[in-house]
Each structure stands twice: as C-alpha cells, then as structure tokens.
Amino acid sequence: MREQHRQIYNITEGIRRNCEANISDAAQARSGDSRPMCPGVFDSWVCWPDTEANTSAVMPCPYFIIGFDPKLNAHRDCLSNGSWFRHPETGNEWSNYTTCINYDDLAFRNSIILINELGYSISLFALLLSLGILFYFKALRCTRITLHMNLFGSFAINCTGWLLFYGIVVPNSNSILNHNPEWCQLLHVVTHYFLLSNYCWMLAEGLYLHTVLVNAFGAEERLVKWLYLLGWAVPLPIIVVYGVMRGLDPDARQRCWMDDTMYNFIMAVPVCFSLVLNFVFLLNIVRVLWSKLRAGPMVGSHSERPSRTLLQAVRATLLLLPLLGLQYLVTPFRPDTGSMWERFHEVVSAFFTSFQGFAVATLFCFCNGEVLAQMRRRMDFVFQRRRANSYTATTVSL
C-alpha cells in the first residue's frame, strides 16, 4: 500500500474506533428516548452523531482530503422517519461534502495556475528564440554572450519542467498526488536542480561582470571554466542532499513532493547566499561606475562625452537588476495563511517567477544593441539581395 494511502488509512481507522466508542456511549445515554433519530454512523471520513429527525448534522470537513477546506462544514440530512438521506442515483446513505470546497479559493488557485502556465510558456518561447538568434549569429560569440546562453538554457529547461508539472500533474492531481509515482518525484528533483542552476548562473553573470569592471586584467579563460562549474556543477550536490534527505522521510516524500517541508532550507540557504552575493556585486559595481564618472574625462576615452558615459552606466546598472535576480529576495517571505497579504504574495511570486525567463531573454537578447545590429545587417543583406535579384530578372526580361 502506498504511503499516502497508509497515512489516510491510519487516520480514518483512528476516527472509526473513536466513533464506535462514542456511538455506543450515546446509545446507552438515550435509552428510553422514543423520539425518531438517525443513528450515529462513520462514513469512512467523518463520525456523524445521533441526529434528530428533520434536522441536519453538521461536522467540520476532513482535513486529510486533498482539496477540502477544514474550516468549512459538511452536513448529513436526517429524514422525518429517522433514516439518513439516500442519494437518488446510488441509493446509498449520503453525506454532503460539496460544501467543503472553497470555490472562491479554488478560483483564485486556478488563476495562479493560469499565470504560471502563461508565464512559463511565454518565457520558454522567448528563451528558445533567443538561443536560436545567438546560435545563428556567429559574430556575437564572446564570453559574455556564452554566459547568457547558458543562463538561457538553464531557464528554458526549468520552464519545461514546470510546464510538464502544470500540464500533467495538476490536471490529474487527485490520482497522481495520491499514488505519488516515482516519475513525478523525479520531475520535482530535476526541475529544482535547474531552478538552482538558474540562481548559480545568475551568480556567475554577476561575478563575471564584477570581475571585468573591478579587475580588468584577470585571466578570463580560467575564470570562465570556474563559472561553468559554478553554473552546472554546484547545484548537483545541493539537490542530491535535498533529494536523499527528503526521500528517506516517509512523511516528506508524499504528493509528488509538492508540499513545503523543513528540507526546503537545503535549497533556500544557497539561493539566499547567491542573492546576497549578487547584491554585494551590484553595490560594488555601482560604486566603481560612480567613481569613474566622478573622475570624468581622465578615465577611459577622452573623446567620450560624460553624458553618454552616464547613460551607459545607468543603463548597465538597470539591466543588472533582472539579470542578478534581486526580485527573488521578496518572494521567499511567505505571509501567514489567511492573512490579507497572502493572495498578493501569491500573485507577485507567480508573476515574477514564471516571467523571469521572458525578462532575461528580452533584456539581454531582444534589446541587446549588438544583437539588434546583427539582425539589422542581416535584414539589409536579404533586402539588398532581393533587390539585386529583382533587378537582374528585369534586365534579362528586357
């Protein structure tokens, strides 16, 4: 029997034993009472007490059923003849659990899923298009663009993993989460490996920019090798430790590892560390740029006007913000369940998380001056060749 089924079975068995004892005590207490009553019963989920005819028993919704809100109530109708209401289709005694679903919350959760699906889909398309553009134009190949391509690749695979989760697991959550198949657990681990890789490549980008600006004479080739290890190798031991520790805990490996557990700190600590480092890099980069701007024409090219230098510095600093992922510093701080900020946090977190790939692809490919220049040259070449072919065809026809 699967662990999830075993846990539910143990819970319901405990409820059943207590229910039988309570029903027995209630039967003795009402001995001699001639009023028509529906006898107490356990319906596999809830213990329903003895209930007077023409009334309804009301009990809290079971907390162990996925999709039920335990703050809501279920009810069971007792008819005038002292028998429980039977469902007209099945003919069996029926407890009404339809009221256990918080439809307002369900609609909100569906909207969050829609935001994630839309964001990851747009991000994946933008990232693949960006990778195609950068692969196509050989003239763009340099260390900085290579780092961008690795960052785009990690984001694209991560987006694919989340789209598989929202496309396969979420629509079939009742069956898949209860059975907890191995492939679903593996999908969680692989997706979170590439999520860690996103942060590591963000750190690699920040470290490279910091090194280029602060230590312009460093060995770039050796640095790039270390950055490759940082982007692809560093997340591996982290996700292995996370997977082993969570996989050995029977309570933490349920529901496709969908629920947050205490083991999430294994990933959260390195992520927060990388974000803090990137923030330090950004502050130091701004400091270096500001010192160079204050130095004026003595630094850099004498022909460069200060206003142009200021513009480039401001633009580079603003572009660093999405690249280094500082907005993720806001999303880990989850408000308490039911608080007024919970839904706002959910929307902000879903938007920033799912559209991050689109933002990175847009800022560092579609709005990249070098990329736009190469695309303009290519378009000019195509149009000129078409004009030449048209002119040749016209000349031959004459």
Side-chain angles (χ1 to χ4, degrees):
M1 182 181 293
R2 298 281 183 180
E3 291 290 336
Q4 180 74 12
H5 290 164
R6 181 178 63 81
Q7 287 184 354
I8 295 178
Y9 174 80
N10 291 337
I11 293 172
T12 54
E13 275 298 293
I15 297 174
R16 182 186 63 80
R17 288 192 294 268
N18 292 333
C19 185
E20 291 175 351
N22 293 335
I23 289 174
S24 177
D25 294 341
Q28 294 177 3
R30 74 166 192 273
S31 60
D33 190 347
S34 60
R35 291 177 301 170
M37 298 188 70
C38 294
V41 63
F42 174 66
D43 67 353
S44 299
W45 284 351
V46 170
C47 180
W48 298 95
D50 296 341
T51 305
E52 292 186 14
N54 286 325
T55 61
S56 296
V58 178
M59 296 294 292
C61 297
Y63 66 91
F64 50 86
I65 301 299
I66 299 173
F68 282 8
D69 186 347
K71 295 190 295 292
L72 300 178
N73 293 321
H75 65 272
R76 187 178 175 99
D77 297 331
C78 181
L79 303 180
S80 58
N81 59 0
S83 64
W84 292 110
F85 171 79
R86 293 180 179 273
H87 197 279
E89 294 182 2
T90 63
N92 298 325
E93 292 182 355
W94 184 66
S95 305
N96 188 353
Y97 290 104
T98 59
T99 54
C100 289
I101 302 174
N102 188 333
Y103 289 98
D104 179 61
D105 184 70
L106 178 63
F108 174 72
R109 299 300 166 188
N110 287 334
S111 66
I112 294 297
I113 292 173
L114 182 61
I115 292 174
N116 280 301
E117 289 179 335
L118 182 64
Y120 283 121
S121 298
I122 294 175
S123 292
L124 180 60
F125 175 78
L127 290 164
L128 293 177
L129 182 60
S130 299
L131 284 170
I133 292 172
L134 297 182
F135 269 114
Y136 181 77
F137 293 109
K138 300 289 192 294
L140 293 172
R141 299 294 173 82
C142 64
T143 302
R144 180 169 44 81
I145 295 298
T146 301
L147 294 179
H148 288 347
M149 292 172 71
N150 281 274
L151 177 65
F152 294 169
S154 68
F155 266 103
I157 301 175
N158 179 251
C159 288
T160 303
W162 283 115
L163 286 174
L164 288 174
F165 176 80
Y166 284 110
I168 300 176
V169 178
V170 172
N172 306 288
S173 57
N174 286 333
S175 59
I176 293 179
L177 294 183
N178 285 333
H179 287 87
N180 196 30
E182 284 76 10
W183 65 263
C184 189
Q185 301 176 52
L186 181 62
L187 175 63
H188 172 91
V189 172
V190 172
T191 302
H192 281 76
Y193 163 77
F194 285 102
L195 180 63
L196 288 172
S197 182
N198 290 348
Y199 289 103
C200 288
W201 275 111
M202 287 179 182
L203 180 58
E205 293 266 9
L207 179 58
Y208 174 77
L209 290 171
H210 182 268
T211 304
V212 169
L213 285 173
V214 177
N215 185 19
F217 301 102
E220 186 172 297
E221 184 177 347
R222 186 171 58 184
L223 174 64
V224 170
K225 292 180 180 178
W226 285 107
L227 295 180
Y228 272 108
L229 289 175
L230 174 60
W232 296 119
V234 169
L236 194 57
I238 301 173
I239 201 66
V240 167
V241 172
Y242 167 77
V244 170
M245 291 188 67
R246 184 164 184 174
L248 293 175
D249 188 342
D251 295 328
R253 64 169 182 255
Q254 303 307 313
R255 290 165 48 83
C256 292
W257 299 18
M258 182 178 173
D259 300 323
D260 291 336
T261 66
M262 62 179 180
Y263 301 109
N264 285 56
F265 82 93
I266 298 174
M267 296 185 295
V269 170
V271 164
C272 291
F273 179 71
S274 70
L275 292 175
V276 170
L277 270 183
N278 266 332
F279 185 67
V280 173
F281 290 154
L282 178 58
L283 290 180
N284 200 39
I285 288 170
V286 172
R287 182 190 64 81
V288 172
L289 288 174
W290 179 250
S291 63
K292 290 184 178 182
L293 289 174
R294 292 185 65 183
M298 295 179 62
V299 178
S301 174
H302 291 279
S303 61
E304 190 173 19
R305 292 165 53 185
S307 59
R308 183 180 174 187
T309 305
L310 177 61
L311 237 119
Q312 289 180 346
V314 172
R315 181 185 177 192
T317 304
L318 290 175
L319 291 178
L320 279 175
L321 291 174
L323 176 63
L324 304 184
L326 294 181
Q327 63 267 39
Y328 280 108
L329 286 172
V330 180
T331 56
F333 302 102
R334 181 185 298 274
D336 295 333
T337 302
S339 67
M340 60 178 294
W341 293 105
E342 182 189 14
R343 291 195 172 188
F344 175 77
H345 175 274
E346 292 286 340
V347 172
V348 171
S349 179
F351 182 83
F352 277 119
T353 302
S354 62
F355 281 93
Q356 173 74 8
F358 172 74
V360 170
T362 300
L363 292 172
F364 293 95
C365 181
F366 304 143
C367 295
N368 187 305
E370 296 170 302
V371 174
L372 293 176
Q374 288 291 329
M375 293 182 69
R376 278 194 294 266
R377 291 193 193 99
R378 181 61 184 172
M379 292 176 65
D380 291 341
F381 173 76
V382 171
F383 288 142
Q384 287 176 4
R385 187 169 63 178
R386 286 182 177 177
R387 287 198 204 98
N389 291 340
S390 176
Y391 176 77
T392 303
T394 304
T395 304
V396 170
S397 63
L398 291 174

